[in-house]
Amino acid sequence: MKYCSISEAAAKFHIPESTLRYYEKKGLLPLIERDAAGRRLYSENQLSLLGTVICLKNTHMPISQIKQYIDWILQGDSTIERRLAMMKQHKQAVLAEISLMTESLQGIDFKINRYTNHQSKGELGQS
Amino acid sequence: MKYCSISEAAAKFHIPESTLRYYEKKGLLPLIERDAAGRRLYSENQLSLLGTVICLKNTHMPISQIKQYIDWILQGDSTIERRLAMMKQHKQAVLAEISLMTESLQGIDFKINRYTNHQSKGELGQS
DNA sequence: TGTTGACTTAAACCTTGGTTTAAGTTGTAT
DNA sequence: ATACAACTTAAACCAAGGTTTAAGTCAACA
């Protein structure tokens, strides 16, 4: 198995090293090994786990909930049902958020149109 | 013109009254009138402006930038170009965020599939 | 008339999600 | 041997976005 340093892991995912240390302290990246000098070593599996953490973060899952998910992974197969339920519920939350954003985007497009086509006045000038 | 109270405005948009006061203090809802007793009165125009603020908030525009936008509205037609540019740029940011979420959703779907179909182990158990 | 209920204010408080700092250790190149 | 770069830690710090608190005002109802 190949290991990489914290600077390499940070570069791979385009995040600061400080964030990696922070996630580890929060329990999102457990069981990180160290070399003889105490420096972190990230295995392929841990980089893959980090990818998962970032995926959940990108979809706005709070850190406390990501930690719960990671804890369930650590507990093994007996938690698969709970993990599945969490992912299904999170998916619905993400779809709802995407819908809200998409809908709100129409309001923005409407403004772009007004400003572009009609040089109309805004809320305060509409008489 | 019809006016409504803070509790009615809060109910219409499903947000706490405290948030309405907070937005006003931050400059997102300027020129709110008061009755003889000092209570806020929201006009149709201001409810419409509040709708705009919430639309921008739903798409994750920071309060400082919403304030800039509102300030430009207050300054009148001379700022229409700037408002248009801001909305166009914001639209791109929103599209990028929706893309990222949609992409990350695939990672979540992948997990849902693994947990549903294969009872497979996660990152730490994949040997 | 007095006591609710809906409002007002300023200021203090809170959570989230990191980032920065200060001080120390280690490995490698000169 | 020494200096530099890459790491380590705990703790302090920060910004964003509200929420809560405490103390007060006012209108209407019993």
Side-chain angles (χ1 to χ4, degrees):
Chain A
M1 226 181 279
K2 244 190 78 192
Y3 290 91
C4 78
S5 70
I6 193 170
S7 57
E8 289 165 338
K12 267 186 225 256
F13 289 93
H14 309 104
I15 57 175
E17 300 176 14
S18 66
T19 301
L20 284 174
R21 295 191 189 101
Y22 172 73
Y23 287 173
E24 186 176 341
K25 186 159 57 175
K26 285 293 188 173
L28 309 189
L29 295 174
L31 310 176
I32 302 289
E33 296 181 57
R34 306 301 181 105
D35 70 9
R39 284 170 297 198
R40 288 165 178 83
L41 293 175
Y42 295 82
S43 71
E44 291 297 332
N45 266 342
Q46 276 151 350
L47 292 178
S48 153
L49 194 61
L50 175 54
T52 298
V53 167
I54 288 175
C55 169
L56 295 176
K57 234 180 47 73
N58 285 344
T59 51
H60 306 150
M61 182 181 284
I63 282 186
S64 56
Q65 202 182 344
I66 301 178
K67 174 166 170 38
Q68 173 67 275
Y69 180 71
I70 300 295
D71 286 348
W72 280 339
I73 290 178
L74 291 176
Q75 283 170 39
D77 286 6
S78 66
T79 63
I80 284 182
E81 291 295 321
R82 274 170 278 178
R83 285 184 251 162
L84 174 59
M86 181 190 273
M87 287 303 111
K88 280 181 171 174
Q89 187 187 320
H90 183 56
K91 177 180 178 172
Q92 293 314 306
V94 174
L95 288 174
E97 196 182 342
I98 290 174
S99 290
L100 180 59
M101 291 186 77
T102 303
E103 205 177 307
S104 302
L105 203 49
Q106 295 181 34
I108 291 164
D109 275 330
F110 181 71
K111 283 180 185 302
I112 289 176
N113 262 292
R114 261 202 301 107
Y115 289 144
T116 301
N117 303 327
H118 314 297
Q119 286 84 50
S120 147
K121 294 166 189 187
E123 277 87 354
L124 289 180
Q126 232 145 20
S127 89
Chain B
M1 228 182 281
K2 244 191 76 191
Y3 289 90
C4 76
S5 70
I6 193 170
S7 57
E8 290 165 338
K12 267 186 225 256
F13 288 94
H14 311 102
I15 57 175
E17 301 176 14
S18 64
T19 300
L20 283 172
R21 297 192 189 99
Y22 171 72
Y23 286 174
E24 186 178 342
K25 187 160 56 172
K26 285 294 188 172
L28 308 189
L29 296 174
L31 309 176
I32 302 290
E33 296 181 59
R34 306 301 181 107
D35 70 9
R39 285 170 297 199
R40 287 166 178 82
L41 293 173
Y42 294 82
S43 71
E44 292 296 335
N45 266 342
Q46 276 151 352
L47 292 178
S48 150
L49 193 60
L50 175 54
T52 299
V53 167
I54 288 175
C55 168
L56 295 176
K57 235 181 45 74
N58 284 344
T59 51
H60 306 148
M61 183 182 284
I63 283 186
S64 56
Q65 201 182 344
I66 300 178
K67 174 165 169 36
Q68 173 68 273
Y69 181 71
I70 300 296
D71 286 348
W72 280 338
I73 290 177
L74 292 176
Q75 283 171 39
D77 287 6
S78 67
T79 63
I80 284 182
E81 292 294 321
R82 274 169 278 177
R83 287 183 250 162
L84 174 58
M86 181 189 272
M87 287 303 112
K88 280 180 171 174
Q89 186 187 319
H90 182 56
K91 176 181 178 173
Q92 293 314 307
V94 175
L95 289 175
E97 195 181 344
I98 290 175
S99 291
L100 180 59
M101 292 187 77
T102 302
E103 204 178 307
S104 303
L105 202 49
Q106 295 182 33
I108 291 164
D109 275 330
F110 182 71
K111 282 179 188 304
I112 290 176
N113 262 291
R114 262 204 298 109
Y115 290 144
T116 300
N117 302 327
H118 314 296
Q119 287 83 48
S120 145
K121 296 165 186 185
E123 279 85 353
L124 290 181
Q126 234 146 20
S127 88

